[in-house]
Amino acid sequence: MTRQTITHSAEETIALGRTLAAELAPPLLVLLRGDLGAGKTTLVKGIAEGFGAASADDVTSPTFTLVHEYRGARAVLYHIDLYRVDTERELETLGLDDLMAAESILLMEWGEKFPRFAREQNVEIVLERMDENERRIQVTGL
């Protein structure tokens, strides 16, 4: 099933993330798709808050560190950014298979670069920038 929501501000995108958190249960692989600036990390801010794993202000893009970990009472969230990862060999060095566990939710940006993640995903969230503040967000798999 696919559902679509339009948000009109970063605050609304964060609020949608909080709502989605109530529907997510580990173990899970969530692919976050969208161009640069589409709001993927903003949505993760809300998901992390919804799990009580981090405040929105503490969630930042893992563009350079590649993986951020946020621990909540009912899940461990791994926010992963594969934008700078280009080869299977580079991917292997991240040890993502080790992060897959009964209590884990992997929130993966740019995972579509690797066909394996498209096959293994449980949920796909596509964010599309409509204008400066407006986003179209499609959720498939919940």
Side-chain angles (χ1 to χ4, degrees), residues 3 5 7 12-25 28 30 32 43-44 46-48 50-51 74 105 107 123-127 137-142:
R3 70 176 186 257
T5 305
T7 62
E12 283 186 22
T13 302
I14 291 169
L16 176 63
R18 278 190 220 103
T19 301
L20 288 173
E23 300 176 48
L24 300 173
L28 214 53
V30 179
L32 300 163
L43 186 68
V44 171
I47 293 171
F51 274 97
R74 51 184 195 103
I105 295 178
L107 302 163
V123 177
E124 180 179 66
I125 302 174
V126 179
L127 296 95
I137 303 170
Q138 292 184 83
V139 179
T140 305
L142 281 181

Side-chain angles (χ1 to χ4, degrees), residues 3-128:
R3 70 176 186 257
Q4 182 173 288
T5 305
I6 304 285
T7 62
H8 302 90
S9 65
E11 292 75 20
E12 283 186 22
T13 302
I14 291 169
L16 176 63
R18 278 190 220 103
T19 301
L20 288 173
E23 300 176 48
L24 300 173
L28 214 53
L29 172 59
V30 179
L31 284 192
L32 300 163
R33 298 181 68 158
D35 294 334
L36 289 171
K40 297 179 296 292
T41 295
T42 302
L43 186 68
V44 171
K45 288 174 179 278
I47 293 171
E49 277 195 347
F51 274 97
S55 72
D57 290 340
D58 291 333
V59 175
T60 58
S61 175
T63 301
F64 296 102
T65 54
L66 306 181
V67 179
H68 286 171
E69 178 181 322
Y70 304 103
R71 293 188 168 270
R74 51 184 195 103
V76 178
L77 306 179
Y78 293 99
H79 184 196
I80 301 159
D81 187 332
L82 300 181
Y83 183 74
R84 298 183 178 285
V85 177
D86 294 317
T87 66
E88 289 288 337
R89 185 176 185 87
E90 289 174 317
L91 185 65
E92 286 173 22
T93 65
L94 295 179
L96 297 182
D97 289 333
D98 296 337
L99 303 182
M100 290 289 213
E103 73 282 353
S104 298
I105 295 178
L106 278 61
L107 302 163
M108 186 178 293
E109 298 186 28
W110 304 101
E112 68 272 13
K113 292 171 61 174
F114 299 93
R116 143 187 186 196
F117 297 123
R119 287 190 306 274
E120 294 176 4
Q121 74 182 9
N122 305 103
V123 177
E124 180 179 66
I125 302 174
V126 179
L127 296 95
E128 182 184 352

